[in-house]
Amino acid sequence: MSLKRNPQDPQNENNSYETKRLILRPMSLEDTAFILDLYNRPKFIQFIGDRNLKTLSDAEDYIRNRFLPQMERLGYGNYLMLTKDGNHKIGGVGIFEREGLDVVDIGFSLLDEFEGKGYAYEAALKIKSVGMDDFGLKKISAITTKDNFSSQKLIEKLGLKFQKYVTIPNDPEELMYYETEYF
């Protein structure tokens, strides 16, 4: 799915990106407690799904087995959103290979207390640009639930267009599928 691989080491500081208000760096094992918190928030479970992370060990295994291998293999994946002002861990954003989708998927999630401030859009716009400009991705997709109106709005603001409804393996819910292309 990636046309060119980033020659940088995935854990290298150079694999971090900045926006006006955020630092985006690859998710790492030091983010275990944050992932456990974020992935157990009611909105995360409602709109993204229950990843069944109940302990710090579960969260560490999830990072080790899901996030790190893709970052190592492709050079991109899941990034932690850190505020420049205060260095707060506020969310995650990334481009993912997802079973059941032919096109890599952009995704984002925020702690509730940081929603509605434009952080997810700022981070997703940067990661979309990185994927297309630095990694040569020709298409990026996004999926969301039918009732997640704020994500639908953000996805459309990123320039992705609704294409169809899809289901992905191990999830019976029909999801909205968006896609964009660079020419």
Side-chain angles (χ1 to χ4, degrees):
M1 298 197 190
S2 170
L3 296 180
K4 59 184 179 181
R5 190 181 187 305
N6 188 336
Q8 302 167 348
D9 180 328
Q11 296 306 313
N12 187 322
E13 287 295 317
N14 293 334
N15 214 22
S16 295
Y17 305 97
E18 287 191 34
T19 67
K20 182 179 177 183
R21 300 178 296 164
L22 299 170
I23 296 169
L24 308 173
R25 68 148 172 82
M27 206 66 80
S28 71
L29 293 176
E30 72 183 56
D31 304 315
T32 298
F34 175 76
I35 289 296
L36 182 64
D37 178 20
L38 178 65
Y39 281 35
N40 282 291
R41 296 282 178 117
K43 282 186 179 177
F44 188 98
I45 292 170
Q46 177 187 359
F47 293 128
I48 298 174
D50 188 348
R51 298 299 189 251
N52 218 15
L53 305 181
K54 305 302 179 204
T55 66
L56 284 171
S57 179
D58 292 342
E60 183 177 314
D61 289 345
Y62 197 84
I63 293 168
R64 186 183 319 277
N65 298 322
R66 300 284 298 264
F67 298 162
L68 299 182
Q70 181 185 314
M71 186 67 75
E72 187 174 308
R73 190 173 74 256
L74 299 177
Y76 59 83
N78 198 5
Y79 297 85
L80 178 74
M81 290 184 219
L82 288 160
T83 61
K84 287 182 178 178
D85 181 21
N87 207 36
H88 300 289
K89 294 180 180 186
I90 66 167
V93 62
I95 299 175
F96 309 96
E97 287 186 324
R98 192 177 306 276
E99 188 179 357
L101 296 181
D102 295 331
V103 176
V104 291
D105 168 54
I106 192 166
F108 42 85
S109 55
L110 280 176
L111 296 175
D112 302 349
E113 55 268 34
F114 293 98
E115 289 180 358
K117 299 176 182 354
Y119 288 122
Y121 174 72
E122 187 175 321
L125 187 64
K126 179 65 175 184
I127 292 303
K128 176 186 171 214
S129 170
V130 166
M132 295 186 135
D133 298 339
D134 296 356
F135 291 95
L137 298 174
K138 298 298 181 200
K139 291 182 183 181
I140 291 178
S141 71
I143 53 175
T144 190
T145 59
K146 294 175 187 176
D147 60 344
N148 193 345
F149 302 113
S150 60
S151 283
Q152 292 168 27
K153 186 177 173 184
L154 193 155
I155 289 166
E156 290 170 0
K157 191 174 176 183
L158 289 171
L160 283 77
K161 305 285 184 233
F162 174 76
Q163 303 292 315
K164 60 187 174 182
Y165 293 101
V166 298
T167 55
I168 57 174
N170 304 314
D171 185 354
E173 184 173 6
E174 194 173 61
L175 301 169
M176 299 177 73
Y177 176 85
Y178 295 77
E179 195 174 275
T180 192
E181 284 189 35
Y182 256 22
F183 297 103

